[in-house]
Amino acid sequence: MTRRRPVRSATADEMLATLGRLTDRAREGAERQKARVELAEALQRSMLPAELPTVPGLRVAARYTPARNGLDIGGDWFDGFFLPDGSLGFSIGDVQGHDVEAAAFMGQIRIGLRAVATATTDPGEVLRRANELLLSVDHGLFATCSFLRYDPATGALQSARAGHVPAVWATSGGEGGIVADEAGVPLGILPGEVYPVANRRLSEGSAFVLLTDGVVEGPSYPIEAGLDAVAELVRAAVREGTDVGELASQVMGTAALTDHTDDAAVLVLLHEPS
């Protein structure tokens, strides 16, 4: 018969020593994660434009809010720049995934869209070429995106979407709603994808609002409810003559209703009455 060795109970000092080692390990892990979060957020913000273009009669404002939960940061962006023909190009989007990798990939897409737009100002063609560019580098990530061209001479808006959240619009006369245009699939998924272009006009006193899903969708808040809330808010703000910066902040405030865990971005174009 084999005699079992008696099990020795750990002493209080040994237990405290073990607890101390585990605590130190947990603290180091938390500090590393905090550093990665701070790096991702710094990288994200450094890649967003410091200024957005404006022309007489058009006011533009944007807002960005990082995610509430740790590494859920880095995927959203907005941008605005002059196109070769004197019109203005605007983009907003959301990269699949988070952390530093998503922030870096976001920067590549944003710059890629600018580069493509030097060769063509058609929003659908911009997205088509950007899609092929992303597929060629085989990064393994994809992104939803909206690209918009504004002609200051005519007030014409041309837009195309790659699986992105629809825009919201409103006029000073009280009309408005959710833009019901057709969208292609997100960038970086299918080769040869075509992105339909929608045409409209930004009339005096009207607004056109682009956003990411972190603004209007959350764990217990459906995107339809979020878009309806933003549409009603934008109609009221435009009717009351709200400043473009304040309007952008109000739209971003909708994210508080969603209990969102994702980052969020808003881009507002407002045509001021002459």
Side-chain angles (χ1 to χ4, degrees):
M1 179 176 179
T2 303
R3 179 177 296 178
R4 294 183 180 178
R5 293 182 179 179
V7 178
R8 185 176 68 87
S9 299
T11 66
D13 288 343
E14 289 173 334
M15 292 179 66
L16 287 174
T18 300
L19 181 60
R21 287 194 298 271
L22 293 174
T23 300
D24 289 342
R25 191 177 304 169
R27 184 184 298 115
E28 291 172 1
E31 290 174 352
R32 282 196 298 270
Q33 176 164 321
K34 180 182 178 183
R36 288 180 65 83
V37 171
E38 292 175 349
L39 174 59
E41 184 171 350
L43 183 60
Q44 166 86 5
R45 290 192 181 278
S46 71
M47 291 182 178
L48 295 176
E51 296 182 352
L52 291 167
T54 60
V55 291
L58 180 70
R59 295 294 175 263
V60 184
R63 297 289 184 270
Y64 170 77
T65 299
R68 296 178 183 177
N69 290 347
L71 292 177
D72 287 344
I73 183 174
D76 288 16
W77 85 87
F78 61 83
D79 198 10
F81 50 94
F82 282 99
L83 297 170
D85 63 357
S87 61
L88 283 70
F90 296 96
S91 70
I92 191 168
D94 183 0
V95 173
Q96 169 255 349
H98 301 95
D99 197 5
V100 179
E101 183 182 18
F105 187 56
M106 174 276 293
Q108 293 174 0
I109 295 176
R110 189 172 75 83
I111 298 304
L113 286 168
R114 284 192 174 217
V116 168
T118 62
T120 177
T121 58
D122 178 85
E125 183 64 11
V126 169
L127 292 185
R128 188 193 71 79
R129 295 189 185 190
N131 180 56
E132 298 302 324
L133 178 62
L134 293 183
L135 288 169
S136 70
V137 298
D138 192 23
H139 199 289
L141 295 177
F142 64 86
T144 67
C145 174
S146 290
F147 190 87
L148 174 72
R149 174 182 178 267
Y150 173 74
D151 185 346
T154 63
L157 285 176
Q158 292 180 299
S159 61
R161 287 193 297 140
H164 198 68
V165 181
V168 171
W169 64 279
T171 69
S172 56
E175 297 179 322
I178 302 165
V179 175
D181 53 357
E182 187 180 354
V185 301
L187 303 178
I189 294 180
L190 294 175
E193 181 67 7
V194 175
Y195 297 92
V197 176
N199 295 278
R200 54 184 59 85
R201 185 173 178 273
L202 192 64
S203 58
E204 266 193 13
S206 62
F208 198 80
V209 179
L210 301 162
L211 40 81
T212 60
D213 59 5
V215 180
V216 291
E217 185 178 32
S220 59
Y221 198 78
I223 191 170
E224 294 81 7
L227 285 170
D228 287 341
V230 170
E232 181 59 34
L233 185 157
V234 174
R235 275 196 296 265
V238 170
R239 191 167 54 244
E240 296 165 6
T242 302
D243 173 76
V244 66
E246 176 60 24
L247 175 53
S249 296
Q250 289 181 13
V251 173
M252 181 60 80
T254 306
L257 302 174
T258 69
D259 193 26
H260 74 101
T261 57
D262 200 358
D263 49 348
V266 171
L267 180 62
V268 178
L269 278 64
L270 181 65
H271 193 298
E272 290 187 335
S274 57

